[in-house]
Amino acid sequence: MEVRKGYVEHIVFRNKDNGYTVFQLVSEGEELTCVGTFLMLAEGDFVQVNGTLKTHPLYGEQLSVQQLIPTMPEDEGAVERYLGSGAIKGIKAALASRIVRRFKGDTIRIMEEEPERLSEIKGISERKAREIGEQMEEKKELRQVMIFLTRYGISMSLAAKIYQKYGQRTYQVLKENPYRLADDISGVGFRTADEIAERIGIHSDSDYRIRSGLLYVLLQISMEGHTCLPRELLLERAAELLRVEEPAIEVQMMNLCMDRKLVIKEIAGKNMVYYSRYFYMERNTACMLHDLNLECSMEEALIEKKLQKVETDSRISLDKMQRRAVVEAVKNGLLIITGGPGTGKTTTINAIIRYFETEEMEILLAAPTGRAAKRMTEATGYEAVTIHRLLELSGDPSGEREHASFERNEENPLEADVIIIDEMSMVDIFLMHSLLRAVSVGTRLILVGDINQLPSVGPGCVLKDLIYGGAYHVVMLEKIFRQASESDIIVNAHKINRGEPVILDNKSKDFFFLKRQDPNLILRVVLSLVQDKLPRYVNARPFDIQVLTPMRKGALGVEHLNEVLQRYLNPPSEDKREKETARGLLREGDKVMQIKNNYQIEWEARNRYQILMEKGTGIFNGDMGIVKNIDLSAETVDVLFDDYRMVTYGFGQLEELELAYAVTIHKSQGSEYPAVVIPLLSGPRMLLNRNLLYTAVTRARSCVTLVGSDQTFEMMIQNASEQERYSGLREQIREVEG
């Protein structure tokens, strides 16, 4: 590790988005180029840098900085240079010279401890002296805080965030309640705060610690898909995390309820504990749905007559339930349409659109993901967008760091007569709540989805709760249409859903099962299918063929499959730059996926002539793209997503990306691929269930190939158990509806 002290002579380059900076450090009379990520650095600053010397092929010797600590100049010449650099507002070179001539080696001490003495110098008033003193105090505080925080392994950028948040109160906050960091600052979790608290000497049974631990558990369970947790289970998980007896946790749970941070509600005979915002989100969702659930007094005979004309003019032929869906859409402010593949959901949506078009109504279409929205556009001929774009994502979380902020809300509602949302199984409680806030009473809201798909990645099981709440009009489409019945993908998907055996004789044109028992052999078969056989069979590129697997770990898990597939589908070469990340190696040309919602990241969409067509913010969990460029000097990676959005990531953001040659079945929700390959061997029974298999099979448009154990396949069909999701929306709906 190289350690250098000096001053920042010149900032050569700074990326304002991620803080990546190149600067010239003068140390012991020599210039050294330093690179790293710094949020708070100015020309003239004295610093100590710790890092590794590297030789860049273009820019020569550089110090890659791992740690930067603000310091102060040590001799009179350095002090004068520092003060004259502009580091202290109101002091220029001439004044800096006068200050140092007057106070000599004592200059810094006097400016920090006795700033009023600066008024002894011509050109400095008492007021200006106080202002200079305040600046010196702030810089001293920052220096001490940075040293303090970096000692605990906190990165420089995070330390700067902490100081920006608390300023001179940083020490006080850290010593009194470091767990505030977990609540207030993005990037600091409970475990980091707990580590700091332990080093500071805060007791393990501290009230602050227990309260923070409880909130942390409830935050974690939301990432598992729950909006609440049974009281006993919460106490158990908190005790395991905190290593504290349950009675002490129970006391703080009640205190948090008194502070309105938690809500305890009885649901189905169990005391369920909520983070209060989740409780009110469910409550408000139920209330807003109630307000939208209006009935229109229009006569059915008249609706039927108009519908017949729509069918004739549009050459659409509807069955009984599809007709029922259109009628209900006209008669009700809120309608839910559900059905599996091949049951005519798209035809029904098209008929609804054409009907409302004849009434000259304004119609908006949306889906949770870019891929699903694109499919909706192709199927209807009507522009569909993501729900985030429909609601006009602001890119500013307004303090709600884990959730989005939208321009469209109750004060600025969507201007439409009819709103149709597809792929509702993917919509979590946060997105549902945000959507409803932007829908005016009197607007028809039509929600379409497959109840048998996996639930949303985010918390809640919104579609199921809406259907089983029993308060709203629901049309279930069950008939498989002739064209769809010719597809074994659709026929077998319905068999899987009903728990019926599937014939694996490989006489099908679009559904194959290759029996293999050895993991290495399965890998070879998967590779051969993706690289060679399937692209020709379905007329697609190898990159369009998607490998879906139930698991992350193991020989047939996402991580190992991606390593193997990357090696063969995008092998290394001299003209492809690479970057090692915490999640593995990224290479130019790689297929990648965004694995968390980032509401603030900026994107640009350009046409083939590179003319800018659109700009916006937000890339979401499950979005897929290709790595187009890795810039090792600027420490950035450019990714082109499916819908032509180009995003530039700083190296510090690469934890949000992972290889996507293979993805988990959960991550494939809402997507459709020309062909899918599903390796199946063994794994936890909880994961290998009917619901998961059904979702995987229905992701394919033209061909499904399963490779592995037929016993595992049959076991999954028979395993109807799903991982329980704790949600109170269903109960809230019943209460609101009375």
Side-chain angles (χ1 to χ4, degrees), residues 394-424:
S394 71
D396 175 16
S398 307
E400 313 276 277
R401 62 176 192 263
E402 70 267 43
H403 309 303
S405 175
F406 298 103
E407 297 294 333
R408 295 287 184 174
N409 50 40
E410 51 273 274
E411 292 173 8
N412 181 28
L414 293 163
E415 293 162 14
D417 301 301
V418 182
I419 299 170
I420 304 174
I421 308 293
D422 199 9
E423 295 286 355
M424 269 300 299

mmCIF file of all heavy atoms in Angstrom, residues 394-424:
data_model
loop_
_atom_site.group_PDB
_atom_site.id
_atom_site.type_symbol
_atom_site.label_atom_id
_atom_site.label_comp_id
_atom_site.label_asym_id
_atom_site.label_seq_id
_atom_site.Cartn_x
_atom_site.Cartn_y
_atom_site.Cartn_z
ATOM 1 N N SER A 394 -39.947 10.334 -11.436
ATOM 2 C CA SER A 394 -39.259 11.611 -11.289
ATOM 3 C C SER A 394 -37.760 11.475 -11.152
ATOM 4 O O SER A 394 -37.010 12.406 -11.394
ATOM 5 C CB SER A 394 -39.804 12.373 -10.078
ATOM 6 O OG SER A 394 -39.379 11.740 -8.873
ATOM 7 N N GLY A 395 -37.288 10.318 -10.734
ATOM 8 C CA GLY A 395 -35.857 10.134 -10.515
ATOM 9 C C GLY A 395 -35.386 10.681 -9.193
ATOM 10 O O GLY A 395 -34.225 10.610 -8.850
ATOM 11 N N ASP A 396 -36.299 11.253 -8.434
ATOM 12 C CA ASP A 396 -35.970 11.809 -7.122
ATOM 13 C C ASP A 396 -36.793 11.088 -6.064
ATOM 14 O O ASP A 396 -37.982 11.314 -5.943
ATOM 15 C CB ASP A 396 -36.284 13.300 -7.107
ATOM 16 C CG ASP A 396 -36.067 13.922 -5.733
ATOM 17 O OD1 ASP A 396 -35.389 13.288 -4.878
ATOM 18 O OD2 ASP A 396 -36.583 15.001 -5.491
ATOM 19 N N PRO A 397 -36.154 10.194 -5.276
ATOM 20 C CA PRO A 397 -36.939 9.453 -4.299
ATOM 21 C C PRO A 397 -37.465 10.282 -3.129
ATOM 22 O O PRO A 397 -38.153 9.747 -2.284
ATOM 23 C CB PRO A 397 -35.961 8.383 -3.797
ATOM 24 C CG PRO A 397 -34.806 8.442 -4.660
ATOM 25 C CD PRO A 397 -34.768 9.793 -5.264
ATOM 26 N N SER A 398 -37.096 11.549 -3.062
ATOM 27 C CA SER A 398 -37.631 12.445 -2.028
ATOM 28 C C SER A 398 -37.521 11.864 -0.628
ATOM 29 O O SER A 398 -38.459 11.882 0.159
ATOM 30 C CB SER A 398 -39.097 12.787 -2.326
ATOM 31 O OG SER A 398 -39.244 13.274 -3.602
ATOM 32 N N GLY A 399 -36.372 11.326 -0.362
ATOM 33 C CA GLY A 399 -36.154 10.772 0.963
ATOM 34 C C GLY A 399 -36.621 9.348 1.135
ATOM 35 O O GLY A 399 -36.251 8.685 2.094
ATOM 36 N N GLU A 400 -37.460 8.832 0.256
ATOM 37 C CA GLU A 400 -37.926 7.457 0.344
ATOM 38 C C GLU A 400 -36.983 6.614 -0.495
ATOM 39 O O GLU A 400 -37.304 6.168 -1.568
ATOM 40 C CB GLU A 400 -39.350 7.346 -0.198
ATOM 41 C CG GLU A 400 -40.296 8.392 0.301
ATOM 42 C CD GLU A 400 -40.887 8.072 1.611
ATOM 43 O OE1 GLU A 400 -41.777 7.407 1.703
ATOM 44 O OE2 GLU A 400 -40.440 8.470 2.539
ATOM 45 N N ARG A 401 -35.824 6.402 0.007
ATOM 46 C CA ARG A 401 -34.736 5.966 -0.864
ATOM 47 C C ARG A 401 -34.978 4.631 -1.550
ATOM 48 O O ARG A 401 -34.444 4.391 -2.599
ATOM 49 C CB ARG A 401 -33.416 5.929 -0.101
ATOM 50 C CG ARG A 401 -33.363 4.974 1.040
ATOM 51 C CD ARG A 401 -31.993 4.945 1.646
ATOM 52 N NE ARG A 401 -31.858 3.849 2.539
ATOM 53 C CZ ARG A 401 -31.990 3.833 3.823
ATOM 54 N NH1 ARG A 401 -32.294 4.911 4.378
ATOM 55 N NH2 ARG A 401 -31.841 2.772 4.563
ATOM 56 N N GLU A 402 -35.764 3.763 -0.942
ATOM 57 C CA GLU A 402 -35.934 2.455 -1.554
ATOM 58 C C GLU A 402 -37.099 2.392 -2.524
ATOM 59 O O GLU A 402 -37.333 1.363 -3.129
ATOM 60 C CB GLU A 402 -36.053 1.360 -0.474
ATOM 61 C CG GLU A 402 -37.331 1.391 0.336
ATOM 62 C CD GLU A 402 -37.190 2.186 1.620
ATOM 63 O OE1 GLU A 402 -36.600 3.245 1.592
ATOM 64 O OE2 GLU A 402 -37.689 1.749 2.624
ATOM 65 N N HIS A 403 -37.851 3.465 -2.638
ATOM 66 C CA HIS A 403 -39.017 3.446 -3.502
ATOM 67 C C HIS A 403 -39.023 4.634 -4.444
ATOM 68 O O HIS A 403 -38.368 5.633 -4.239
ATOM 69 C CB HIS A 403 -40.306 3.401 -2.671
ATOM 70 C CG HIS A 403 -40.292 2.325 -1.658
ATOM 71 N ND1 HIS A 403 -40.098 1.009 -2.003
ATOM 72 C CD2 HIS A 403 -40.376 2.359 -0.302
ATOM 73 C CE1 HIS A 403 -40.088 0.289 -0.900
ATOM 74 N NE2 HIS A 403 -40.260 1.081 0.145
ATOM 75 N N ALA A 404 -39.846 4.505 -5.469
ATOM 76 C CA ALA A 404 -39.879 5.517 -6.506
ATOM 77 C C ALA A 404 -40.738 6.703 -6.113
ATOM 78 O O ALA A 404 -41.603 6.612 -5.259
ATOM 79 C CB ALA A 404 -40.417 4.891 -7.783
ATOM 80 N N SER A 405 -40.485 7.805 -6.794
ATOM 81 C CA SER A 405 -41.326 8.981 -6.681
ATOM 82 C C SER A 405 -41.826 9.309 -8.088
ATOM 83 O O SER A 405 -41.050 9.307 -9.045
ATOM 84 C CB SER A 405 -40.509 10.143 -6.113
ATOM 85 O OG SER A 405 -41.257 11.312 -6.099
ATOM 86 N N PHE A 406 -43.129 9.581 -8.213
ATOM 87 C CA PHE A 406 -43.726 9.787 -9.525
ATOM 88 C C PHE A 406 -44.362 11.169 -9.636
ATOM 89 O O PHE A 406 -44.871 11.711 -8.657
ATOM 90 C CB PHE A 406 -44.801 8.719 -9.787
ATOM 91 C CG PHE A 406 -44.271 7.314 -9.810
ATOM 92 C CD1 PHE A 406 -44.459 6.469 -8.726
ATOM 93 C CD2 PHE A 406 -43.593 6.832 -10.909
ATOM 94 C CE1 PHE A 406 -43.975 5.165 -8.731
ATOM 95 C CE2 PHE A 406 -43.106 5.533 -10.928
ATOM 96 C CZ PHE A 406 -43.291 4.701 -9.841
ATOM 97 N N GLU A 407 -44.318 11.703 -10.862
ATOM 98 C CA GLU A 407 -44.957 12.994 -11.127
ATOM 99 C C GLU A 407 -46.479 12.872 -11.124
ATOM 100 O O GLU A 407 -47.195 13.820 -10.806
ATOM 101 C CB GLU A 407 -44.498 13.544 -12.491
ATOM 102 C CG GLU A 407 -42.997 13.838 -12.586
ATOM 103 C CD GLU A 407 -42.544 14.962 -11.669
ATOM 104 O OE1 GLU A 407 -43.387 15.832 -11.355
ATOM 105 O OE2 GLU A 407 -41.370 14.960 -11.253
ATOM 106 N N ARG A 408 -46.972 11.692 -11.528
ATOM 107 C CA ARG A 408 -48.413 11.456 -11.555
ATOM 108 C C ARG A 408 -48.889 10.956 -10.195
ATOM 109 O O ARG A 408 -48.404 9.954 -9.681
ATOM 110 C CB ARG A 408 -48.776 10.441 -12.640
ATOM 111 C CG ARG A 408 -48.498 10.931 -14.053
ATOM 112 C CD ARG A 408 -49.499 11.995 -14.489
ATOM 113 N NE ARG A 408 -49.323 12.412 -15.872
ATOM 114 C CZ ARG A 408 -50.131 13.217 -16.504
ATOM 115 N NH1 ARG A 408 -51.196 13.716 -15.887
ATOM 116 N NH2 ARG A 408 -49.890 13.556 -17.769
ATOM 117 N N ASN A 409 -49.866 11.659 -9.631
ATOM 118 C CA ASN A 409 -50.430 11.280 -8.332
ATOM 119 C C ASN A 409 -51.815 11.902 -8.213
ATOM 120 O O ASN A 409 -52.375 12.350 -9.217
ATOM 121 C CB ASN A 409 -49.499 11.721 -7.199
ATOM 122 C CG ASN A 409 -49.085 13.180 -7.340
ATOM 123 O OD1 ASN A 409 -49.908 14.035 -7.712
ATOM 124 N ND2 ASN A 409 -47.822 13.479 -7.079
ATOM 125 N N GLU A 410 -52.366 11.949 -6.999
ATOM 126 C CA GLU A 410 -53.714 12.484 -6.818
ATOM 127 C C GLU A 410 -53.825 13.959 -7.227
ATOM 128 O O GLU A 410 -54.891 14.418 -7.623
ATOM 129 C CB GLU A 410 -54.232 12.277 -5.384
ATOM 130 C CG GLU A 410 -53.291 12.751 -4.282
ATOM 131 C CD GLU A 410 -52.286 11.658 -3.888
ATOM 132 O OE1 GLU A 410 -52.608 10.818 -3.044
ATOM 133 O OE2 GLU A 410 -51.187 11.689 -4.452
ATOM 134 N N GLU A 411 -52.719 14.691 -7.133
ATOM 135 C CA GLU A 411 -52.737 16.103 -7.536
ATOM 136 C C GLU A 411 -52.515 16.289 -9.036
ATOM 137 O O GLU A 411 -52.852 17.333 -9.595
ATOM 138 C CB GLU A 411 -51.660 16.873 -6.751
ATOM 139 C CG GLU A 411 -51.985 16.976 -5.261
ATOM 140 C CD GLU A 411 -50.880 17.581 -4.451
ATOM 141 O OE1 GLU A 411 -49.900 18.068 -5.061
ATOM 142 O OE2 GLU A 411 -50.981 17.556 -3.205
ATOM 143 N N ASN A 412 -51.927 15.298 -9.677
ATOM 144 C CA ASN A 412 -51.660 15.350 -11.115
ATOM 145 C C ASN A 412 -52.029 13.990 -11.723
ATOM 146 O O ASN A 412 -51.166 13.235 -12.167
ATOM 147 C CB ASN A 412 -50.181 15.685 -11.350
ATOM 148 C CG ASN A 412 -49.822 15.778 -12.823
ATOM 149 O OD1 ASN A 412 -50.661 16.102 -13.665
ATOM 150 N ND2 ASN A 412 -48.583 15.452 -13.154
ATOM 151 N N PRO A 413 -53.331 13.657 -11.755
ATOM 152 C CA PRO A 413 -53.735 12.304 -12.160
ATOM 153 C C PRO A 413 -53.552 12.045 -13.658
ATOM 154 O O PRO A 413 -53.387 12.978 -14.448
ATOM 155 C CB PRO A 413 -55.220 12.241 -11.771
ATOM 156 C CG PRO A 413 -55.668 13.669 -11.788
ATOM 157 C CD PRO A 413 -54.497 14.500 -11.381
ATOM 158 N N LEU A 414 -53.592 10.767 -14.025
ATOM 159 C CA LEU A 414 -53.519 10.364 -15.427
ATOM 160 C C LEU A 414 -54.766 10.848 -16.167
ATOM 161 O O LEU A 414 -55.879 10.729 -15.647
ATOM 162 C CB LEU A 414 -53.393 8.841 -15.538
ATOM 163 C CG LEU A 414 -52.081 8.251 -15.007
ATOM 164 C CD1 LEU A 414 -52.233 6.746 -14.785
ATOM 165 C CD2 LEU A 414 -50.922 8.538 -15.943
ATOM 166 N N GLU A 415 -54.542 11.350 -17.363
ATOM 167 C CA GLU A 415 -55.670 11.862 -18.153
ATOM 168 C C GLU A 415 -56.142 10.757 -19.084
ATOM 169 O O GLU A 415 -55.628 10.584 -20.190
ATOM 170 C CB GLU A 415 -55.219 13.105 -18.925
ATOM 171 C CG GLU A 415 -54.896 14.284 -18.004
ATOM 172 C CD GLU A 415 -54.074 15.348 -18.658
ATOM 173 O OE1 GLU A 415 -53.970 15.312 -19.900
ATOM 174 O OE2 GLU A 415 -53.510 16.218 -17.957
ATOM 175 N N ALA A 416 -57.091 9.986 -18.614
ATOM 176 C CA ALA A 416 -57.591 8.855 -19.395
ATOM 177 C C ALA A 416 -58.988 8.476 -18.934
ATOM 178 O O ALA A 416 -59.362 8.721 -17.780
ATOM 179 C CB ALA A 416 -56.661 7.647 -19.240
ATOM 180 N N ASP A 417 -59.733 7.867 -19.853
ATOM 181 C CA ASP A 417 -61.041 7.313 -19.501
ATOM 182 C C ASP A 417 -60.926 5.842 -19.103
ATOM 183 O O ASP A 417 -61.704 5.343 -18.298
ATOM 184 C CB ASP A 417 -62.006 7.443 -20.690
ATOM 185 C CG ASP A 417 -62.186 8.891 -21.121
ATOM 186 O OD1 ASP A 417 -62.615 9.692 -20.281
ATOM 187 O OD2 ASP A 417 -61.860 9.211 -22.290
ATOM 188 N N VAL A 418 -59.937 5.164 -19.737
ATOM 189 C CA VAL A 418 -59.734 3.733 -19.497
ATOM 190 C C VAL A 418 -58.236 3.464 -19.353
ATOM 191 O O VAL A 418 -57.439 3.924 -20.162
ATOM 192 C CB VAL A 418 -60.279 2.878 -20.674
ATOM 193 C CG1 VAL A 418 -60.099 1.390 -20.384
ATOM 194 C CG2 VAL A 418 -61.735 3.213 -20.960
ATOM 195 N N ILE A 419 -57.856 2.705 -18.316
ATOM 196 C CA ILE A 419 -56.465 2.288 -18.135
ATOM 197 C C ILE A 419 -56.446 0.764 -18.041
ATOM 198 O O ILE A 419 -57.162 0.185 -17.217
ATOM 199 C CB ILE A 419 -55.845 2.921 -16.871
ATOM 200 C CG1 ILE A 419 -55.850 4.449 -16.994
ATOM 201 C CG2 ILE A 419 -54.423 2.406 -16.651
ATOM 202 C CD1 ILE A 419 -55.473 5.162 -15.702
ATOM 203 N N ILE A 420 -55.634 0.138 -18.894
ATOM 204 C CA ILE A 420 -55.522 -1.333 -18.899
ATOM 205 C C ILE A 420 -54.094 -1.707 -18.508
ATOM 206 O O ILE A 420 -53.132 -1.262 -19.140
ATOM 207 C CB ILE A 420 -55.863 -1.925 -20.283
ATOM 208 C CG1 ILE A 420 -57.268 -1.471 -20.724
ATOM 209 C CG2 ILE A 420 -55.785 -3.454 -20.244
ATOM 210 C CD1 ILE A 420 -57.636 -1.888 -22.145
ATOM 211 N N ILE A 421 -53.961 -2.519 -17.462
ATOM 212 C CA ILE A 421 -52.651 -2.970 -16.981
ATOM 213 C C ILE A 421 -52.539 -4.474 -17.210
ATOM 214 O O ILE A 421 -53.376 -5.243 -16.739
ATOM 215 C CB ILE A 421 -52.455 -2.660 -15.477
ATOM 216 C CG1 ILE A 421 -52.747 -1.179 -15.161
ATOM 217 C CG2 ILE A 421 -51.049 -3.062 -15.030
ATOM 218 C CD1 ILE A 421 -51.789 -0.192 -15.745
ATOM 219 N N ASP A 422 -51.503 -4.900 -17.908
ATOM 220 C CA ASP A 422 -51.257 -6.325 -18.164
ATOM 221 C C ASP A 422 -50.185 -6.853 -17.211
ATOM 222 O O ASP A 422 -49.465 -6.080 -16.572
ATOM 223 C CB ASP A 422 -50.825 -6.516 -19.627
ATOM 224 C CG ASP A 422 -51.003 -7.967 -20.098
ATOM 225 O OD1 ASP A 422 -51.605 -8.784 -19.368
ATOM 226 O OD2 ASP A 422 -50.538 -8.283 -21.217
ATOM 227 N N GLU A 423 -50.074 -8.180 -17.127
ATOM 228 C CA GLU A 423 -49.078 -8.868 -16.287
ATOM 229 C C GLU A 423 -49.173 -8.414 -14.833
ATOM 230 O O GLU A 423 -48.164 -8.136 -14.163
ATOM 231 C CB GLU A 423 -47.651 -8.659 -16.825
ATOM 232 C CG GLU A 423 -47.374 -9.281 -18.185
ATOM 233 C CD GLU A 423 -47.237 -10.806 -18.133
ATOM 234 O OE1 GLU A 423 -47.269 -11.380 -17.026
ATOM 235 O OE2 GLU A 423 -47.101 -11.416 -19.209
ATOM 236 N N MET A 424 -50.390 -8.399 -14.321
ATOM 237 C CA MET A 424 -50.626 -7.914 -12.963
ATOM 238 C C MET A 424 -49.980 -8.773 -11.886
ATOM 239 O O MET A 424 -49.768 -8.302 -10.775
ATOM 240 C CB MET A 424 -52.126 -7.812 -12.706
ATOM 241 C CG MET A 424 -52.734 -6.472 -13.032
ATOM 242 S SD MET A 424 -52.047 -5.105 -12.091
ATOM 243 C CE MET A 424 -52.453 -5.603 -10.391
#
